[in-house]
Amino acid sequence: MKLGVGIGWRPEIDLTVEQLDVDFVEVVAENLHVGRLPESVLLLRERGLPVLPHAVSLSLGGAEPVDAARVAHLGALAEALDAPFVSDHVCFVRAGGLDSGHLMPLPRTRDALDVLVANVKAAQADLPVPLALENVAALLEWPDGELTEGQFLADLVERTDCLLLVDVANLYANARNVGTDVGRFLDEIPLERLAYVHVAGGEEHHGVYHDTHAHAVLPEVLDVLRQLRERIDPPGVLLERDDDYPADAELAGELAAIRAVLA
């Protein structure tokens, strides 16, 4: 499905999103209620823009069973918005009754992959649309890894037939912080299963790059997008911004920069 160039819808910039030149939007699933969807989201849907629910709390990589209520909410939102698919992350966010408040990367072991696959299959069984899964940013590597990140994702796709949501900002962060080889990652993942792409901003603190979603998109992140574009014409590319929202013109400029890479 060809999506084009989009932006993450947030209530703080709802009027801005309505006026920007975008082809689709993404909404954070946990922030919406099926019975009282924001008027702005409904307006965009009425205009014919795809609205894609993006979850942050399924904790598909966790050792605990997937929360059926969270999956049901995501599925109901997909149906209410007529979404072609939904997404979450290759991560865990809960353990032992505690919530990390952060998308925690998984150990890249075959045992961890087995747990992830089982949870993804359980979620897929209860979702009315396909599920796309996103690579996350990491500040450290778990010890005793058996697979590269690309191999881990490729095996996940092979075993679950899920889609991939590639975040090039997270990939850049991992290249900076843990030495991920961007080219190898892009060569190892099954790009034919790509649903769409995330682009976001960040900044460096004391030699560590943080994927903040609150700063401008760096040229280096666009370079990673360019490397992906050299391999495939992505179905869609979406700009994420979650805080310190800039002027409308700045957001429009970042969307234009994305379009330039894709041209």
Side-chain angles (χ1 to χ4, degrees):
M1 179 180 182
K2 190 65 176 178
L3 293 167
V5 174
I7 193 168
W9 182 92
R10 304 292 184 265
E12 295 88 347
I13 54 171
D14 55 354
L15 297 180
T16 297
V17 173
E18 291 171 21
Q19 298 172 25
L20 287 171
D21 178 21
V22 293
D23 306 307
F24 73 107
V25 298
E26 178 190 84
V27 293
V28 178
E30 288 80 0
N31 292 346
L32 297 187
H33 300 278
V34 174
R36 50 181 188 277
L37 294 171
E39 290 185 10
S40 176
V41 170
L42 294 175
L43 172 64
L44 295 168
R45 189 68 198 93
E46 289 168 5
R47 290 180 183 172
L49 271 68
V51 178
L52 309 179
H54 183 56
V56 296
S57 68
L58 294 188
S59 197
L60 294 168
E64 300 170 356
V66 177
D67 187 333
R70 295 177 189 272
V71 177
H73 170 74
L74 183 59
L77 195 57
E79 292 182 321
L81 295 170
D82 194 25
F85 44 77
V86 295
S87 59
D88 203 305
H89 303 79
V90 178
C91 73
F92 70 99
V93 299
R94 286 183 301 279
L98 299 176
D99 195 309
S100 69
H102 187 72
L103 305 174
M104 305 292 289
L106 302 181
R108 290 197 299 273
T109 63
R110 300 193 184 281
D111 286 345
L113 180 60
D114 288 344
V115 171
L116 175 63
V117 166
N119 286 339
V120 168
K121 287 182 175 180
Q124 288 172 319
D126 290 331
L127 287 170
V129 295
L131 174 65
L133 295 172
E134 177 184 348
N135 58 301
V136 300
L139 295 177
L140 54 85
E141 292 263 48
W142 291 94
D144 303 321
E146 298 170 326
L147 301 164
T148 66
E149 187 175 9
Q151 291 168 338
F152 193 85
L153 293 176
D155 285 0
L156 170 66
V157 171
E158 181 178 355
R159 294 174 61 181
T160 66
D161 200 33
C162 69
L163 298 170
L164 286 179
L165 198 179
V166 172
D167 190 313
V168 294
N170 289 346
L171 179 53
Y172 172 72
N174 291 351
R176 286 286 307 275
N177 296 333
V178 298
T180 298
D181 184 320
V182 170
R184 181 176 180 180
F185 175 95
L186 293 174
D187 288 339
E188 288 178 338
I189 63 173
L191 287 171
E192 70 277 6
R193 295 297 293 166
L194 182 63
Y196 62 112
V197 175
H198 275 174
V199 174
E203 67 173 1
E204 181 178 317
H205 287 293
H206 305 297
V208 177
Y209 182 79
H210 296 270
D211 175 50
T212 64
H213 292 197
H215 296 83
V217 176
L218 293 180
E220 292 87 347
V221 171
L222 293 178
D223 286 341
V224 177
L225 177 62
R226 191 170 290 107
Q227 291 184 56
L228 185 149
R229 176 66 182 88
E230 291 170 354
R231 292 164 169 80
I232 190 174
D233 182 12
V237 180
L238 181 126
L239 174 66
E240 291 186 293
R241 186 76 179 226
D242 294 320
D243 203 358
D244 289 340
Y245 300 100
D248 294 3
E250 186 174 333
L251 287 175
E254 292 195 330
L255 291 167
I258 290 171
R259 291 187 190 276
V261 172
L262 301 178

